Amino acid sequence: MSRYFTEDHEWVDVDGDTGTVGITDYAQGQLGDIVFVDVPDEGKTFAKGDDAAVVESVKAASDIYAPVSGSVIEGNAALGDTPGLVNEDAEGEGWMFRLTLSDPGELDGLMDEAAYEAFVAKL
Amino acid sequence: MSDETDLDPTEPQILPLDAWHRAKGARMVPFAGYTMPVQYEDGIMAEHLWVRESAGLFDVSHMGQLFLSGDGLDDALEALVPADVRGVKPFAQKYSLLLAENGGILDDLMITRWEDGLYMVVNGAVKYDDIGHLRDHLPDAITLNQMDDHALLALQGPKAAAVLARLVPGIEALVFMTGGRFEWNGVPLWISRSGYTGEDGFEISLPAEHAQAFADALVAEPDVKPIGLGARDSLRLEAGLPLYGHDLDEETTPVMADLGFAVASKRRREEANFPGAARILIEREQGAIVKRVGLRVDGRQPVREGAAVLDADGSEVGKVTSGGFAPTLGTPIAMAYVPLALAAHGTRIQLTQRGKVHEATVTQMPFVPHRYVRSGGK
């Protein structure tokens, strides 16, 4: 399983043609206390870069983009009652949705962990 | 991830406590033309709850502090605001509104009687407009000084009085909306028992060069933490207090804004010589076409400024002017302007935001009860 990152601070874990998507620990720290997450329903399809989820902090709403194209298998239902999971464990229990990748070739355009860390260090 | 927080494009100015905020771990953002702390390391939620339980220190030095003096000042100012200025007793503080000729609100402000004039605190974002308006409309006999060599701090929360009394004995004798002159280590302080959180608390004006030492002395108290603008906004929203430029503007009148208490003086109403008096007094009798109300939003998703209010037919009939998550209540709340027919408490209404419909209930404000100390002092 490999993890990829976007410049918009999403991560995607890829296992075969299944991807699990969330936002990075850096992103949750920037957003602050998260009070609501709107995750996509099963069956919804996205092109890479589409609005896929909405994260609301006390202060502002932020769109989460699909890091790759695909069709949603499930949203993380646990975030309905405990949106704070994204603050506590953004890159684990705070995942947002799983999807079936329609074009795994898109992963080539994303960063690996080392590249993302270097990217964040420059922000 | 995209951040929809809009930032002021002009080069922000630096306030006296800038370095102090950064040393305390603040995240600095442009606000009202200044670089200001939006939050510290604990985050908005924890800071908000700290103020409701203990005491929080806010730097509000961006606000305009003005001192007006001169013969005929009370009557001259009464030509621009609806308050009974003459009736403001020494060291008492009064909330009022700077009104345009048509009754629209140019700013909301605090007026306090000092020994030899009136001290006013106005909103940072419009203070230069206010100063221009005052200079244009007040007679030459009136002198207006901008006290930009003074910082303004606020200490708010149920433990504020006990903490501040340890540094400045005597403040516990003040009651809500009164003030007095005090001293700390030889530094002159103007302190009023007032604020913008709904909690008991104090606002402290002092020479800017001493602000850092005084802030240090306050946060050295274990009950005090510095609190950013983010929590200031969520606290004032829970307290039902409007924010100028959002919940109040030149398109709104005192009656539309449900600030009828700002037009409560019988003498001023009978004289009817404040800007927009004819319109405002008719609205006061008959009701304005729209009214600012509080909303409790169903579910967990905050509905924010700019969301539309819909009537039963789905037509847009109003706007949300402030909205967010209420940390004390654990639910989203908002303020909106709605037609009078939808303004009664308990009315169910619909809101739309980014294509999604939210249900809400018109609710009495404040959302969280005020805890002002109005008598006896303690």
Side-chain angles (χ1 to χ4, degrees):
Chain A
M1 191 164 75
S2 311
R3 178 167 288 195
Y4 301 86
F5 295 85
T6 72
E7 292 191 355
D8 296 313
H9 308 286
E10 291 96 13
W11 54 267
V12 52
D13 274 345
V14 181
D15 186 3
D17 66 350
T18 300
T20 304
V21 176
I23 64 169
T24 65
D25 190 56
Y26 171 84
Q28 71 77 21
Q30 290 294 306
L31 290 172
D33 302 302
I34 289 165
V35 296
F36 180 82
V37 185
D38 196 7
V39 297
D41 295 329
E42 179 188 347
K44 195 149 188 191
T45 60
F46 297 122
K48 179 180 177 172
D50 282 356
D51 293 348
V54 176
V55 173
E56 302 257 5
S57 70
V58 180
K59 197 77 191 127
S62 302
D63 290 320
I64 307 303
Y65 307 122
V68 287
S69 305
S71 139
V72 174
I73 303 165
E74 66 169 322
N76 185 355
L79 298 181
D81 288 333
T82 47
L85 279 176
V86 180
N87 291 123
E88 290 159 26
D89 191 10
E91 302 194 23
E93 293 293 307
W95 63 277
M96 291 183 182
F97 58 95
R98 295 188 211 283
L99 80 177
T100 304
L101 275 61
S102 56
D103 181 5
E106 289 171 345
L107 296 169
D108 293 342
L110 304 183
M111 291 178 276
D112 64 13
E113 187 154 8
Y116 178 71
E117 279 178 15
F119 171 73
V120 167
K122 281 186 280 180
L123 294 178
Chain B
M1 185 185 97
S2 72
D3 195 341
E4 293 181 11
T5 312
D6 57 345
L7 303 176
D8 188 337
T10 55
E11 190 64 30
Q13 291 180 268
I14 303 300
L15 287 167
L17 288 177
D18 191 85
W20 188 87
H21 295 305
R22 290 174 198 274
K24 294 279 179 265
R27 186 179 299 167
M28 304 296 283
V29 299
F31 179 82
Y34 293 93
T35 300
M36 304 274 293
V38 65
Q39 66 167 81
Y40 301 83
E41 281 159 4
D42 288 349
I44 294 172
M45 191 88 83
E47 290 172 25
H48 179 113
L49 297 172
W50 183 265
V51 174
R52 292 266 182 256
E53 289 163 11
S54 189
L57 177 64
F58 302 77
D59 176 15
V60 288
S61 300
H62 65 299
M63 300 191 78
Q65 298 183 71
L66 312 178
F67 179 67
L68 283 71
S69 58
D71 288 342
L73 173 59
D74 289 7
D75 289 349
L77 188 59
E78 283 195 353
L80 305 180
V81 303
D84 175 11
V85 178
R86 279 190 225 156
V88 178
K89 296 191 172 71
F91 288 3
Q93 185 176 357
K94 192 162 195 74
Y95 176 84
S96 194
L97 303 163
L98 201 58
L99 295 176
E101 271 312 309
N102 68 357
I105 300 171
L106 300 173
D107 198 4
D108 63 341
L109 48 83
M110 288 289 184
I111 301 170
T112 305
R113 183 167 314 278
W114 278 0
E115 297 85 345
D116 47 0
L118 297 170
Y119 167 66
M120 303 204 321
V121 177
V122 304
N123 278 293
V126 290
K127 65 181 172 187
Y128 296 110
D129 295 335
D130 290 357
I131 291 168
H133 182 81
L134 291 167
R135 286 197 201 287
D136 285 350
H137 291 85
L138 291 173
D140 292 343
I142 305 301
T143 306
L144 187 164
N145 287 310
Q146 190 189 352
M147 298 167 55
D148 50 7
D149 54 351
H150 275 63
L152 189 63
L153 305 177
L155 188 70
Q156 301 279 298
K159 296 183 182 172
V163 168
L164 190 59
R166 288 201 281 275
L167 271 68
V168 188
I171 57 88
E172 60 274 26
L174 298 174
V175 296
F176 183 60
M177 298 294 272
T178 67
R181 297 199 182 279
F182 297 88
E183 206 174 87
W184 171 79
N185 284 357
V187 177
L189 310 173
W190 167 258
I191 300 179
S192 62
R193 200 160 195 166
S194 54
Y196 195 44
T197 60
E199 297 297 325
D200 183 24
F202 300 84
E203 292 173 297
I204 304 139
S205 172
L206 75 171
E209 66 269 26
H210 297 294
Q212 188 161 327
F214 189 66
D216 276 333
L218 284 170
V219 298
E221 298 282 334
D223 289 335
V224 180
K225 287 186 178 187
I227 307 296
L229 286 176
R232 180 172 160 84
D233 191 48
S234 53
L235 287 158
R236 69 90 194 167
L237 180 58
E238 285 186 345
L241 301 171
L243 173 60
Y244 192 79
H246 300 262
D247 310 302
L248 309 176
D249 60 29
E250 293 184 38
E251 304 300 314
T252 54
T253 65
V255 179
M256 290 162 69
D258 199 20
L259 298 174
F261 68 88
V263 200
S265 160
K266 192 165 175 237
R267 173 178 66 83
R268 294 305 319 273
R269 290 202 308 273
E270 283 172 1
E271 290 173 2
N273 56 358
F274 52 87
R279 174 188 181 186
I280 289 167
L281 294 173
I282 289 171
E283 287 185 353
R284 197 171 174 280
E285 292 303 313
Q286 303 176 356
I289 52 166
V290 296
K291 187 179 173 190
R292 181 175 64 97
V293 297
L295 301 174
R296 263 200 197 243
V297 182
D298 294 3
R300 290 190 61 105
Q301 185 164 19
V303 176
R304 302 183 192 271
E305 181 177 3
V309 177
L310 305 182
D311 68 8
D313 300 327
S315 303
E316 181 175 336
V317 292
K319 281 275 187 216
V320 171
T321 52
S322 282
F325 191 79
T328 310
L329 305 172
T331 61
I333 57 173
M335 289 181 198
Y337 279 83
V338 303
L340 220 45
L342 298 178
H345 299 153
T347 305
R348 295 283 291 167
I349 60 168
Q350 291 193 318
L351 309 170
T352 60
Q353 171 174 261
R354 297 191 300 269
K356 193 167 159 184
V357 174
H358 300 261
E359 307 283 335
T361 305
V362 175
T363 307
Q364 179 149 23
M365 291 193 285
F367 298 100
V368 173
H370 293 161
R371 294 198 281 184
Y372 303 138
V373 174
R374 292 183 186 274
S375 63
K378 65 175 186 187

